[in-house]
Amino acid sequence: MKTLKLTESRRDILSGYIYVLPALIFMLVLIGYPIVYNFLISFQKLDAMNINSGVREFIGFENYKKVLSDEVMGIAFKNTFIYTIASLAFQFTIGFALALFFNNKFKLAKPIRGFMVISYMMPITVTALMFKFMLSPSNGIINDIMVAIGIIDAPIPWLLQESTALWGLIIANSWIGIPFNMLLLTTGLSNISEEIYESASVDGANGLQKFIHITLPLLKPAILSVLMLGFVYTFKVFDLVFVMTSGGPVNSTEVLSTFSYRLSFKYYYFGQGAAVANILFLCLFAVALVYLKMIGKEEV
Amino acid sequence: MKKLLATILTVVLGVSVLAGCGNSNKSETSDTSSQSEQTSAVSQAKEPKELTFWHYFTSINGETVQKYVDEYNAMQDDVKINFEFVPRDELLKQFTIGLVSGELPDMTFVDNPDHASFSAMGLFADITDKVQAWEDGNKFLEGALNSAKYNGRIYGLPHASNALALYYDVDMLAAAGVQPPETWEELEAAAAKLTSGNTYGLAFSAIKNEEGTFQMLPFLLSSGATVDTLDSAGGVKALTFLSDLTNKGYVSKEVLNWAQGDVEKQFVSGNAAMIINGPWIKANLQKNAPDKNWAVTKLPKDKEFASTLGGENIVILNNSEVTDEAWEFLKWFMSKENNIEFCKTVGRFSPRSDVTPEEVWGDDAVMKVFADQMQYAQPRGPHPKWPEVSAVIINAVQESLSGVKEPAQALKDAQVKIDEINSTLK
């Protein structure tokens, strides 16, 4: 019985590969090539002065040294991590809470959940502009509400001072990401059989115990995927930052992607821009490896 | 097995992340290539050669050039010009990508501070000989033509110039009992009196891009500082003056995020009594705020009047196969008669020395002030690394306006960076 099941699943996987193959080739050509190209130019002296001459000197790790010694690199690195981790924390907690809430089968649960996805479907540029207005110290609704309910005395110029600009972006990005977290976790939740909860109730488990001992462990794969995908999507942020602050004031919201863009397309240091993009890639690759390790443990 | 699939998936996922930027470039390049395929298909069917001409003008400026292009297309059979809109940031990006991929237009508008870096890249055609052979070739103002030069050679022609001045709300100034300011002291005093409720005395753009540099540079220049002596006493004075205006609340801190269009909106909605802006907003103000009673005066000065020279140059690209046709059009478009008409329509100044502002504007009071201001307008650069220099300048302004650094310190750090940029040129 058991061996039969295994061969069946093996055959399934094999045909799965064949289905995936065209997409894989497509990606290797369209995505693999730019990556290799990007990798190559990060070791070349390539800027405004020689881009048209055809001569591209190989300079080893010079571009990497240059960007790593740039003070903005440190700031961008720190900002990217703070932004990613804080956004993830908000998105995940609130998304999880909402998923649990809407998992209760009450009237209107589905339509309301549907409405909430709007923020995820909105083009990021629109969201960014909207939040830019909402966070404004003059007439911005977020400040107005906070002043009205007495959290703060005077409006906070969110995007205009170094201390809060990054948090303004985090607020906007959390709003965007909550429905994504909620949806994936809801799917995970609906896969947990009611019977398990019922038998736990029979054994006398309370709500919290059920959550910790049933929901969390059974939801672990979904949670890991959500966090992993969330990390990747948040870490490579570009449009939101570019529209809301374009890295300012000063460099307080510069992230790796905007820094890379600025080096390549504002100052025309293509080699250095490529080096920053590769560093960004390495960070994400490391996260992907950690994720693999976790998934691997689950399976063994 | 499942693990292998997961590995592949993860790698592909990670890879797709990095491809974010590469990917978009790809699609853009394919866009332009399909466009040029179309173009060549048309040219086989018809006699005239095709010429692609890029611009990033959104309103009246673009429409007006389009009219000239249509007129030119109708009056001759040698060439058909396709005038295409490309958003400004996209255009700058496409130039550099085009250097590698070869997908470039034949002609384009380029903002004058960007001109030198693209010339250095070898993107633009050297038209020095053509200009010298043209009977009107010596009829361009030196400052304007300089912005199109690199290493002494001419890589394009200025088409219309502008400069910044101070717009003010006549009624608000009258109500507060202040005269239009002429000096920094008067400007601060006026801004103080005009600030009340939701209205700020003054608004300008100090956004972290070229627009911010464009607006902040006149202050540095007026106090006697130059781009190479930012940390001089004059520079420190200018930046301290600007920081004081925001610290005292006469200028909103939001200027750090305002582009020039945002500043214009603040003026229209009455949230700012005085703003710094260019002649191109004149038509908009007349349309969007017909009841507003406003006037223009020169930018208040410290030591001497100053402004920044703005405007685009028209260039022919190096790889174009229709450079002669492009040059014929350029000569026609920049002829005295056409240029006067053009400048009149779009609210700009002719770069030609044989066109006086009176010829274009008659006794238009607003444009008279701008014409006066133009005499004090200084070009940015030409500097092959101007984008980088510009970023350093606006960074220093933002540092002191947001209170991160003292003006003196911000400028000292900026000067170190500019010296470093200049040292790479030698």
Side-chain angles (χ1 to χ4, degrees), chain B residues 266-312:
Chain B
Q266 296 297 317
F267 190 60
V268 169
S269 60
N271 291 336
M274 302 182 283
I275 59 162
I276 296 174
N277 230 311
W280 60 84
I281 73 164
K282 178 182 168 234
N284 291 351
L285 285 182
Q286 282 160 348
K287 199 172 85 187
N288 299 334
D291 301 330
K292 204 174 178 74
N293 186 9
W294 56 269
V296 182
T297 185
K298 280 198 296 264
L299 288 181
K301 63 170 182 175
D302 175 38
K303 283 206 185 91
E304 52 208 316
F305 285 114
S307 192
T308 332
L309 180 73
E312 287 77 20

Short mmCIF file of all heavy atoms in Angstrom, two decimals, chain B residues 266-312:
data_model
loop_
_atom_site.label_atom_id
_atom_site.label_comp_id
_atom_site.label_asym_id
_atom_site.label_seq_id
_atom_site.Cartn_x
_atom_site.Cartn_y
_atom_site.Cartn_z
N GLN B 266 0.38 75.43 -3.58
CA GLN B 266 0.29 76.13 -2.30
C GLN B 266 -0.08 77.58 -2.51
O GLN B 266 -0.82 78.18 -1.74
CB GLN B 266 1.63 76.05 -1.55
CG GLN B 266 2.05 74.65 -1.15
CD GLN B 266 1.08 74.03 -0.18
OE1 GLN B 266 0.62 74.67 0.76
NE2 GLN B 266 0.74 72.76 -0.41
N PHE B 267 0.45 78.16 -3.57
CA PHE B 267 0.18 79.56 -3.87
C PHE B 267 -1.27 79.72 -4.33
O PHE B 267 -1.99 80.60 -3.87
CB PHE B 267 1.15 80.03 -4.96
CG PHE B 267 1.14 81.51 -5.19
CD1 PHE B 267 1.45 82.40 -4.17
CD2 PHE B 267 0.83 82.03 -6.44
CE1 PHE B 267 1.45 83.77 -4.39
CE2 PHE B 267 0.83 83.40 -6.67
CZ PHE B 267 1.14 84.28 -5.64
N VAL B 268 -1.71 78.82 -5.22
CA VAL B 268 -3.08 78.90 -5.74
C VAL B 268 -4.08 78.76 -4.61
O VAL B 268 -5.07 79.49 -4.54
CB VAL B 268 -3.31 77.79 -6.80
CG1 VAL B 268 -4.77 77.69 -7.16
CG2 VAL B 268 -2.48 78.08 -8.05
N SER B 269 -3.82 77.84 -3.68
CA SER B 269 -4.79 77.60 -2.61
C SER B 269 -4.64 78.59 -1.46
O SER B 269 -5.35 78.50 -0.46
CB SER B 269 -4.64 76.17 -2.08
OG SER B 269 -3.33 76.00 -1.58
N GLY B 270 -3.72 79.53 -1.59
CA GLY B 270 -3.58 80.57 -0.56
C GLY B 270 -2.83 80.12 0.67
O GLY B 270 -2.83 80.82 1.69
N ASN B 271 -2.16 78.97 0.61
CA ASN B 271 -1.39 78.50 1.76
C ASN B 271 0.00 79.11 1.82
O ASN B 271 0.73 78.89 2.78
CB ASN B 271 -1.26 76.98 1.73
CG ASN B 271 -2.59 76.31 2.00
OD1 ASN B 271 -3.48 76.91 2.61
ND2 ASN B 271 -2.74 75.08 1.53
N ALA B 272 0.36 79.83 0.78
CA ALA B 272 1.64 80.52 0.79
C ALA B 272 1.45 81.90 0.17
O ALA B 272 0.78 82.03 -0.86
CB ALA B 272 2.68 79.74 -0.01
N ALA B 273 2.00 82.92 0.83
CA ALA B 273 1.80 84.28 0.35
C ALA B 273 2.81 84.64 -0.73
O ALA B 273 2.55 85.47 -1.59
CB ALA B 273 1.90 85.27 1.51
N MET B 274 4.01 84.03 -0.65
CA MET B 274 5.04 84.28 -1.66
C MET B 274 5.63 82.92 -2.04
O MET B 274 5.79 82.05 -1.18
CB MET B 274 6.17 85.15 -1.09
CG MET B 274 5.72 86.51 -0.55
SD MET B 274 7.12 87.50 0.04
CE MET B 274 7.48 86.73 1.62
N ILE B 275 5.93 82.75 -3.31
CA ILE B 275 6.59 81.51 -3.72
C ILE B 275 7.70 81.81 -4.73
O ILE B 275 7.66 82.84 -5.41
CB ILE B 275 5.62 80.48 -4.37
CG1 ILE B 275 4.95 81.08 -5.62
CG2 ILE B 275 4.59 79.99 -3.38
CD1 ILE B 275 4.35 80.04 -6.53
N ILE B 276 8.64 80.89 -4.79
CA ILE B 276 9.67 80.98 -5.82
C ILE B 276 9.25 80.05 -6.95
O ILE B 276 8.92 78.88 -6.70
CB ILE B 276 11.04 80.55 -5.25
CG1 ILE B 276 11.46 81.53 -4.15
CG2 ILE B 276 12.08 80.48 -6.36
CD1 ILE B 276 12.71 81.13 -3.43
N ASN B 277 9.20 80.58 -8.17
CA ASN B 277 8.84 79.73 -9.29
C ASN B 277 9.23 80.37 -10.62
O ASN B 277 9.73 81.49 -10.63
CB ASN B 277 7.34 79.40 -9.26
CG ASN B 277 7.11 77.90 -9.40
OD1 ASN B 277 7.67 77.26 -10.29
ND2 ASN B 277 6.30 77.34 -8.51
N GLY B 278 8.98 79.66 -11.69
CA GLY B 278 9.43 80.13 -13.00
C GLY B 278 8.30 80.66 -13.85
O GLY B 278 7.13 80.55 -13.48
N PRO B 279 8.60 81.23 -15.01
CA PRO B 279 7.59 81.84 -15.86
C PRO B 279 6.58 80.85 -16.42
O PRO B 279 5.50 81.24 -16.85
CB PRO B 279 8.41 82.48 -16.99
CG PRO B 279 9.70 81.76 -16.98
CD PRO B 279 9.95 81.35 -15.58
N TRP B 280 6.94 79.56 -16.40
CA TRP B 280 6.05 78.56 -16.99
C TRP B 280 4.74 78.41 -16.21
O TRP B 280 3.79 77.85 -16.71
CB TRP B 280 6.76 77.21 -17.11
CG TRP B 280 7.22 76.68 -15.79
CD1 TRP B 280 6.47 75.95 -14.89
CD2 TRP B 280 8.50 76.84 -15.19
NE1 TRP B 280 7.21 75.66 -13.79
CE2 TRP B 280 8.47 76.19 -13.94
CE3 TRP B 280 9.68 77.46 -15.60
CZ2 TRP B 280 9.57 76.15 -13.08
CZ3 TRP B 280 10.76 77.43 -14.74
CH2 TRP B 280 10.71 76.78 -13.51
N ILE B 281 4.67 78.92 -14.96
CA ILE B 281 3.42 78.75 -14.21
C ILE B 281 2.45 79.90 -14.46
O ILE B 281 1.32 79.89 -14.01
CB ILE B 281 3.64 78.58 -12.69
CG1 ILE B 281 4.04 79.90 -12.02
CG2 ILE B 281 4.65 77.49 -12.39
CD1 ILE B 281 3.88 79.84 -10.51
N LYS B 282 2.92 80.91 -15.20
CA LYS B 282 2.09 82.09 -15.44
C LYS B 282 0.73 81.70 -16.06
O LYS B 282 -0.32 82.10 -15.56
CB LYS B 282 2.84 83.05 -16.37
CG LYS B 282 2.09 84.27 -16.74
CD LYS B 282 2.91 85.15 -17.70
CE LYS B 282 2.04 86.21 -18.29
NZ LYS B 282 2.06 86.24 -19.74
N ALA B 283 0.79 80.92 -17.14
CA ALA B 283 -0.46 80.54 -17.82
C ALA B 283 -1.36 79.73 -16.89
O ALA B 283 -2.58 79.93 -16.86
CB ALA B 283 -0.13 79.74 -19.08
N ASN B 284 -0.75 78.83 -16.11
CA ASN B 284 -1.53 78.01 -15.17
C ASN B 284 -2.24 78.88 -14.14
O ASN B 284 -3.39 78.63 -13.79
CB ASN B 284 -0.63 77.03 -14.42
CG ASN B 284 -0.10 75.95 -15.34
OD1 ASN B 284 -0.54 75.85 -16.48
ND2 ASN B 284 0.84 75.16 -14.85
N LEU B 285 -1.51 79.87 -13.60
CA LEU B 285 -2.10 80.72 -12.58
C LEU B 285 -3.28 81.47 -13.14
O LEU B 285 -4.33 81.59 -12.49
CB LEU B 285 -1.06 81.72 -12.05
CG LEU B 285 0.02 81.17 -11.11
CD1 LEU B 285 0.93 82.30 -10.64
CD2 LEU B 285 -0.60 80.47 -9.91
N GLN B 286 -3.13 81.98 -14.36
CA GLN B 286 -4.23 82.72 -14.96
C GLN B 286 -5.45 81.84 -15.15
O GLN B 286 -6.58 82.28 -15.02
CB GLN B 286 -3.78 83.33 -16.30
CG GLN B 286 -2.93 84.57 -16.07
CD GLN B 286 -2.08 84.94 -17.27
OE1 GLN B 286 -1.94 84.16 -18.21
NE2 GLN B 286 -1.48 86.12 -17.24
N LYS B 287 -5.18 80.54 -15.42
CA LYS B 287 -6.29 79.62 -15.64
C LYS B 287 -6.89 79.13 -14.32
O LYS B 287 -8.10 79.13 -14.13
CB LYS B 287 -5.77 78.41 -16.45
CG LYS B 287 -6.88 77.63 -17.13
CD LYS B 287 -6.31 76.58 -18.06
CE LYS B 287 -5.99 75.31 -17.30
NZ LYS B 287 -5.29 74.31 -18.12
N ASN B 288 -6.01 78.72 -13.37
CA ASN B 288 -6.49 78.07 -12.15
C ASN B 288 -6.88 79.05 -11.04
O ASN B 288 -7.60 78.69 -10.12
CB ASN B 288 -5.44 77.11 -11.59
CG ASN B 288 -5.12 76.02 -12.58
OD1 ASN B 288 -5.96 75.68 -13.41
ND2 ASN B 288 -3.91 75.48 -12.51
N ALA B 289 -6.35 80.26 -11.09
CA ALA B 289 -6.67 81.23 -10.05
C ALA B 289 -6.95 82.58 -10.70
O ALA B 289 -6.23 83.55 -10.48
CB ALA B 289 -5.53 81.33 -9.04
N PRO B 290 -8.02 82.63 -11.51
CA PRO B 290 -8.27 83.86 -12.26
C PRO B 290 -8.54 85.07 -11.37
O PRO B 290 -8.29 86.20 -11.79
CB PRO B 290 -9.51 83.51 -13.12
CG PRO B 290 -10.13 82.34 -12.45
CD PRO B 290 -9.04 81.59 -11.79
N ASP B 291 -9.04 84.82 -10.15
CA ASP B 291 -9.39 85.94 -9.27
C ASP B 291 -8.23 86.40 -8.40
O ASP B 291 -8.33 87.40 -7.71
CB ASP B 291 -10.57 85.56 -8.36
CG ASP B 291 -11.79 85.17 -9.18
OD1 ASP B 291 -11.92 85.71 -10.30
OD2 ASP B 291 -12.56 84.31 -8.72
N LYS B 292 -7.18 85.62 -8.42
CA LYS B 292 -6.06 85.94 -7.54
C LYS B 292 -5.32 87.16 -8.07
O LYS B 292 -5.05 87.27 -9.27
CB LYS B 292 -5.11 84.73 -7.47
CG LYS B 292 -4.28 84.71 -6.22
CD LYS B 292 -3.49 83.41 -6.18
CE LYS B 292 -2.59 83.36 -4.96
NZ LYS B 292 -3.32 83.13 -3.71
N ASN B 293 -4.99 88.06 -7.16
CA ASN B 293 -4.27 89.27 -7.54
C ASN B 293 -2.80 89.06 -7.20
O ASN B 293 -2.41 89.19 -6.05
CB ASN B 293 -4.87 90.44 -6.74
CG ASN B 293 -4.28 91.76 -7.18
OD1 ASN B 293 -3.56 91.84 -8.17
ND2 ASN B 293 -4.60 92.81 -6.43
N TRP B 294 -2.01 88.71 -8.21
CA TRP B 294 -0.61 88.39 -7.93
C TRP B 294 0.34 89.17 -8.83
O TRP B 294 -0.06 89.71 -9.86
CB TRP B 294 -0.35 86.89 -8.05
CG TRP B 294 -0.73 86.31 -9.38
CD1 TRP B 294 -1.94 85.77 -9.72
CD2 TRP B 294 0.08 86.22 -10.56
NE1 TRP B 294 -1.93 85.36 -11.03
CE2 TRP B 294 -0.70 85.61 -11.57
CE3 TRP B 294 1.40 86.57 -10.86
CZ2 TRP B 294 -0.22 85.35 -12.85
CZ3 TRP B 294 1.89 86.33 -12.15
CH2 TRP B 294 1.08 85.72 -13.12
N ALA B 295 1.57 89.23 -8.43
CA ALA B 295 2.60 89.89 -9.23
C ALA B 295 3.93 89.18 -9.00
O ALA B 295 4.02 88.27 -8.18
CB ALA B 295 2.70 91.36 -8.85
N VAL B 296 4.93 89.62 -9.74
CA VAL B 296 6.24 88.97 -9.67
C VAL B 296 7.31 90.01 -9.41
O VAL B 296 7.21 91.14 -9.88
CB VAL B 296 6.55 88.25 -11.01
CG1 VAL B 296 7.87 87.52 -10.94
CG2 VAL B 296 5.44 87.27 -11.35
N THR B 297 8.31 89.63 -8.63
CA THR B 297 9.46 90.49 -8.46
C THR B 297 10.71 89.64 -8.49
O THR B 297 10.64 88.40 -8.40
CB THR B 297 9.37 91.29 -7.14
OG1 THR B 297 10.47 92.19 -7.08
CG2 THR B 297 9.39 90.36 -5.94
N LYS B 298 11.87 90.28 -8.65
CA LYS B 298 13.12 89.52 -8.69
C LYS B 298 13.34 88.80 -7.36
O LYS B 298 12.88 89.25 -6.32
CB LYS B 298 14.30 90.46 -8.96
CG LYS B 298 14.44 90.81 -10.42
CD LYS B 298 15.81 91.36 -10.73
CE LYS B 298 16.10 92.67 -10.04
NZ LYS B 298 15.85 93.86 -10.83
N LEU B 299 14.08 87.70 -7.40
CA LEU B 299 14.42 87.01 -6.17
C LEU B 299 15.19 87.96 -5.27
O LEU B 299 16.16 88.58 -5.72
CB LEU B 299 15.29 85.78 -6.46
CG LEU B 299 14.63 84.58 -7.13
CD1 LEU B 299 15.66 83.47 -7.30
CD2 LEU B 299 13.46 84.07 -6.31
N PRO B 300 14.77 88.10 -3.99
CA PRO B 300 15.50 89.00 -3.09
C PRO B 300 16.97 88.59 -2.99
O PRO B 300 17.32 87.42 -3.13
CB PRO B 300 14.78 88.80 -1.76
CG PRO B 300 13.41 88.38 -2.14
CD PRO B 300 13.57 87.55 -3.37
N LYS B 301 17.83 89.59 -2.76
CA LYS B 301 19.26 89.31 -2.83
C LYS B 301 19.94 89.54 -1.49
O LYS B 301 19.44 90.25 -0.62
CB LYS B 301 19.90 90.22 -3.88
CG LYS B 301 19.80 91.70 -3.52
CD LYS B 301 20.64 92.53 -4.44
CE LYS B 301 20.56 94.00 -4.03
NZ LYS B 301 21.44 94.85 -4.81
N ASP B 302 21.11 88.93 -1.39
CA ASP B 302 22.00 89.23 -0.28
C ASP B 302 23.03 90.22 -0.80
O ASP B 302 22.92 91.42 -0.58
CB ASP B 302 22.67 87.95 0.22
CG ASP B 302 23.69 88.23 1.31
OD1 ASP B 302 23.43 89.12 2.14
OD2 ASP B 302 24.75 87.56 1.32
N LYS B 303 24.02 89.73 -1.54
CA LYS B 303 25.03 90.63 -2.12
C LYS B 303 24.61 91.09 -3.51
O LYS B 303 24.66 92.25 -3.85
CB LYS B 303 26.38 89.91 -2.22
CG LYS B 303 27.10 89.80 -0.89
CD LYS B 303 28.60 89.69 -1.15
CE LYS B 303 29.38 89.47 0.13
NZ LYS B 303 29.56 88.05 0.45
N GLU B 304 24.21 90.11 -4.34
CA GLU B 304 23.83 90.48 -5.70
C GLU B 304 22.65 89.63 -6.13
O GLU B 304 22.44 88.55 -5.59
CB GLU B 304 25.01 90.25 -6.66
CG GLU B 304 25.59 88.85 -6.54
CD GLU B 304 27.08 88.83 -6.93
OE1 GLU B 304 27.39 89.46 -7.93
OE2 GLU B 304 27.87 88.20 -6.23
N PHE B 305 21.88 90.13 -7.10
CA PHE B 305 20.76 89.35 -7.60
C PHE B 305 21.28 88.07 -8.25
O PHE B 305 22.35 88.07 -8.86
CB PHE B 305 19.95 90.15 -8.62
CG PHE B 305 19.10 91.22 -7.98
CD1 PHE B 305 19.35 92.57 -8.20
CD2 PHE B 305 18.06 90.86 -7.13
CE1 PHE B 305 18.56 93.55 -7.61
CE2 PHE B 305 17.27 91.83 -6.54
CZ PHE B 305 17.53 93.18 -6.78
N ALA B 306 20.52 87.00 -8.10
CA ALA B 306 20.94 85.73 -8.71
C ALA B 306 19.71 84.90 -9.03
O ALA B 306 18.66 85.05 -8.41
CB ALA B 306 21.86 84.96 -7.77
N SER B 307 19.87 84.05 -10.01
CA SER B 307 18.84 83.06 -10.33
C SER B 307 19.54 81.93 -11.07
O SER B 307 20.72 82.04 -11.40
CB SER B 307 17.75 83.69 -11.21
OG SER B 307 16.65 82.82 -11.28
N THR B 308 18.82 80.84 -11.28
CA THR B 308 19.43 79.72 -12.01
C THR B 308 18.84 79.69 -13.40
O THR B 308 17.64 79.89 -13.57
CB THR B 308 19.13 78.39 -11.31
OG1 THR B 308 18.97 78.62 -9.92
CG2 THR B 308 20.26 77.42 -11.52
N LEU B 309 19.68 79.44 -14.38
CA LEU B 309 19.23 79.35 -15.76
C LEU B 309 18.59 77.99 -16.00
O LEU B 309 19.21 76.96 -15.79
CB LEU B 309 20.41 79.54 -16.72
CG LEU B 309 20.06 79.48 -18.20
CD1 LEU B 309 19.32 80.71 -18.65
CD2 LEU B 309 21.32 79.29 -19.04
N GLY B 310 17.34 78.01 -16.41
CA GLY B 310 16.66 76.76 -16.70
C GLY B 310 16.35 76.66 -18.17
O GLY B 310 16.44 77.65 -18.90
N GLY B 311 15.96 75.47 -18.59
CA GLY B 311 15.57 75.30 -19.99
C GLY B 311 16.22 74.08 -20.60
O GLY B 311 17.20 73.56 -20.09
N GLU B 312 15.63 73.64 -21.69
CA GLU B 312 16.12 72.43 -22.33
C GLU B 312 16.95 72.78 -23.56
O GLU B 312 16.80 73.85 -24.13
CB GLU B 312 14.95 71.55 -22.78
CG GLU B 312 14.25 70.84 -21.64
CD GLU B 312 13.33 71.74 -20.86
OE1 GLU B 312 12.93 72.81 -21.40
OE2 GLU B 312 13.01 71.42 -19.70
#
